[in-house]
Amino acid sequence: MGTATLALMIYVAIIIIWATVVKKNMAEGMILGFLVVGMFGGKNALGFIESAFVSALSNEVLFASLAFILMSYLIKESELLEGVLNIFDSLLGRFRGGPAFVNIGLSAIMGMLSGSNSANTATSGAFTAQWMIRTGWKKETVATLLAGNGGLGAGFPPSASMFIMLGFAQVNSLITVEELYIGLFISGVYQVIYRIFLVFYLMEKNGIRSGTSREEVSVFKALRNHWKSLTVFLGAIVPLLVTTGPLGEWLAAIGLEEGMSSVSLLTWIPILMITIILVLGRKNLKKNIKDTTYLVDTLFVHYKDIGGILLFAFAASEIFSKLGLVNELVTLFGSLDFSKPVMVLIVGMLVVLVAGPLSSTATLTSIGLIAFSALLSVGVSPLPAAVAILVFASTEGASPPASGSIFIASGLTDSRPEKTFIPLIKYFVVPITAIGWLIAMEFLPLFV
């Protein structure tokens, strides 16, 4: 066993013990893990620690992740999110099973905004939980769907898990930001398609025969009153159009290739979306954000943990890179002599099991790099490997018994959490793991 592999094992152990045994703040565990890993640099330890910390501070992914947190906060305070909800209601509210489809759509939208499974479950559930129960769904089934659909918070870009993967030097040297963004988006579409079929199945099983719109608002009226809310997504659409696809190719052909190549999705998507929110929601932001004290009290809680986790995860990955971790892991897994399908399944099960007691971000922080190296060692291409790992980790919201999404969903539906455990494993954990396996095996293409 090499020095870097030993350092990784100790690093993983520190993070898991800190989160599950000591039960302290994850960011604190990340700091401790980073310092311990730095000590493996021997006489160069202090230099390793200093250079890795400085490199992490200048990491574009760190800026983007914090910017997306701000964007998620502002869209709620600006009340633009309510407009999106009303449009979804008008489109699907009167259809059979409409509230369940609205929950899927809203979870996907929130996944592209917040990247948080628990926040996803709370936001979509607050809007759809009682609505679904009123239209005939059983409480436990509603809680199962809310918690399971909440996993789209990590299943769609941008997400903290995606930022962690991009922050690993061993990953971003093989995959571009644009490739991972689009690849994860396509995998999210696969998950949405599965959830749609699941709702149809559960509607038959539960005898759901009709839908009732929350406010009986026509699509035309909803779009007329709230169309401005949809313009927020131009902040993501425009940078994607000018850097990829036919428009990007045309701009490159007329001599703007150098300029377009300097457009960073991770930088410009949150900047443009925040700008649009500030312009469109300025009146409600002034009304809802009463003063600077309120701003600090309500915004800081979103930053205190994720900022520290990301910063020191990136810093630790820089040290692992200097220690030569990838070469050691590729050699190690290459010696195990597992076939590709078996290794992908083993890695998937490992990620899912770790994601049970931990969050998807903590899972990727602790074993994301070793999982990536393991998949590469059996011939999985870098992009499908990274996307599959993110899909495996997105089961966190549906993994009993420690998932916060389960208890949020149970609280919203006044149901017993333990009654959702087996359905969640059956309807979400196993099928989503299978989707990740199919992506890694390239049976489900990413079109990137």
Side-chain angles (χ1 to χ4, degrees):
M1 181 186 299
T3 301
T5 305
L6 177 62
L8 178 63
M9 293 176 63
I10 294 175
Y11 179 70
V12 171
I14 289 173
I15 293 171
I16 293 176
I17 292 172
W18 194 265
T20 60
V21 179
V22 183
K23 295 183 179 179
K24 293 292 186 179
N25 185 286
M26 177 61 69
E28 296 172 356
M30 297 301 306
I31 296 172
L32 179 60
F34 164 66
L35 293 175
V36 170
V37 169
M39 294 298 103
F40 280 82
K43 63 181 181 180
N44 298 318
L46 291 179
F48 274 22
I49 291 173
E50 181 182 359
S51 63
F53 184 74
V54 171
S55 178
L57 281 176
S58 60
N59 194 320
E60 179 188 37
V61 180
L62 180 65
F63 161 78
S65 62
L66 300 182
F68 276 114
I69 292 173
L70 174 61
M71 184 206 66
S72 177
Y73 171 83
L74 291 176
I75 196 172
K76 294 175 185 176
E77 294 291 342
S78 68
E79 300 180 17
L80 291 173
L81 182 59
E82 182 64 24
V84 175
L85 299 182
N86 281 317
I87 292 171
F88 266 85
D89 184 24
S90 68
L91 287 168
L92 299 170
R94 284 177 288 275
F95 287 96
R96 179 188 175 207
F101 292 116
V102 169
N103 184 263
I104 294 173
L106 178 57
S107 294
I109 293 294
M110 286 302 299
M112 289 181 271
L113 293 174
S114 69
S116 167
N117 290 343
S118 296
N120 212 352
T121 300
T123 302
S124 62
F127 178 73
T128 58
Q130 295 305 315
W131 185 15
M132 289 177 67
I133 292 171
R134 286 200 305 269
T135 56
W137 292 87
K138 295 179 182 178
K139 290 182 179 181
E140 288 76 16
T141 304
V142 175
T144 299
L145 285 172
L146 295 183
N149 289 340
L152 291 173
F156 270 101
S159 67
S161 301
M162 185 191 83
F163 295 136
I164 288 174
M165 287 298 290
L166 282 172
F168 293 135
Q170 300 84 347
V171 175
N172 61 43
S173 64
L174 299 172
I175 304 171
T176 67
V177 172
E178 291 80 5
E179 287 174 338
L180 187 56
Y181 194 102
I182 297 172
L184 185 57
F185 180 86
I186 292 171
S187 75
V189 172
Y190 288 138
Q191 290 202 45
V192 166
I193 292 172
Y194 163 72
R195 284 168 165 86
I196 291 172
F197 281 105
L198 175 63
V199 167
F200 278 118
Y201 167 75
L202 292 176
M203 280 196 299
E204 291 297 327
K205 184 178 180 180
N206 288 270
I208 306 299
R209 297 301 174 196
S210 62
T212 304
S213 180
R214 190 180 61 154
E215 297 178 354
E216 296 291 337
V217 177
S218 69
V219 176
F220 176 77
K221 185 176 180 180
L223 288 172
R224 183 183 64 191
N225 293 339
H226 304 290
W227 65 269
K228 291 182 180 179
S229 299
L230 298 179
T231 62
V232 170
F233 297 103
L234 288 175
I237 294 170
V238 171
L240 282 170
L241 287 178
V242 301
T243 55
T244 61
L247 179 58
E249 293 175 1
W250 179 77
L251 291 172
I254 63 173
L256 297 177
E257 182 176 6
E258 183 176 350
M260 293 304 100
S261 63
S262 66
V263 175
S264 167
L265 294 180
L266 286 181
T267 299
W268 283 104
I269 287 179
I271 288 176
L272 289 179
M273 294 184 87
I274 288 171
T275 302
I276 293 171
I277 293 168
L278 290 175
V279 172
L280 296 181
R282 59 188 182 280
K283 291 183 180 179
N284 287 327
L285 288 171
K286 289 180 180 179
K287 178 184 70 174
N288 295 331
I289 302 178
K290 305 173 183 63
D291 50 41
T292 53
T293 300
Y294 175 84
L295 176 65
V296 172
D297 290 343
T298 55
L299 179 58
F300 180 72
V301 295
H302 300 286
Y303 279 109
K304 65 176 183 178
D305 293 329
I306 194 64
I309 290 172
L310 291 172
L311 174 61
F312 289 98
F314 297 163
S317 79
E318 292 292 333
I319 295 179
F320 285 129
S321 182
K322 292 178 182 295
L323 294 174
L325 178 64
V326 169
N327 291 334
E328 287 187 11
L329 292 179
V330 169
T331 301
L332 173 63
F333 280 98
S335 67
L336 295 178
D337 198 29
F338 285 127
S339 65
K340 180 178 177 180
V342 174
M343 178 61 84
V344 172
L345 182 59
I346 291 173
V347 169
M349 292 174 63
L350 174 64
V351 174
V352 169
L353 287 172
V354 175
L358 302 182
S359 65
S360 57
T361 53
T363 299
L364 269 297
T365 297
S366 58
I367 64 169
L369 191 56
I370 191 171
F372 182 75
S373 300
L375 294 184
L376 292 189
S377 73
V378 291
V380 179
S381 300
L383 180 60
V387 172
I389 291 167
L390 290 170
V391 172
F392 295 144
S394 73
T395 60
E396 168 244 324
S399 296
S403 167
S405 294
I406 295 174
F407 296 96
I408 291 171
S410 298
L412 289 169
T413 56
D414 193 26
S415 58
R416 295 173 62 184
E418 61 271 19
K419 289 194 173 184
T420 69
F421 288 177
I422 293 177
L424 280 169
I425 293 172
K426 181 169 62 173
Y427 295 137
F428 288 98
V429 175
V430 172
I432 291 170
T433 301
I435 290 173
W437 185 88
L438 291 170
I439 289 172
M441 295 298 296
E442 299 187 53
F443 294 138
L444 287 177
L446 297 177
F447 304 106
V448 179

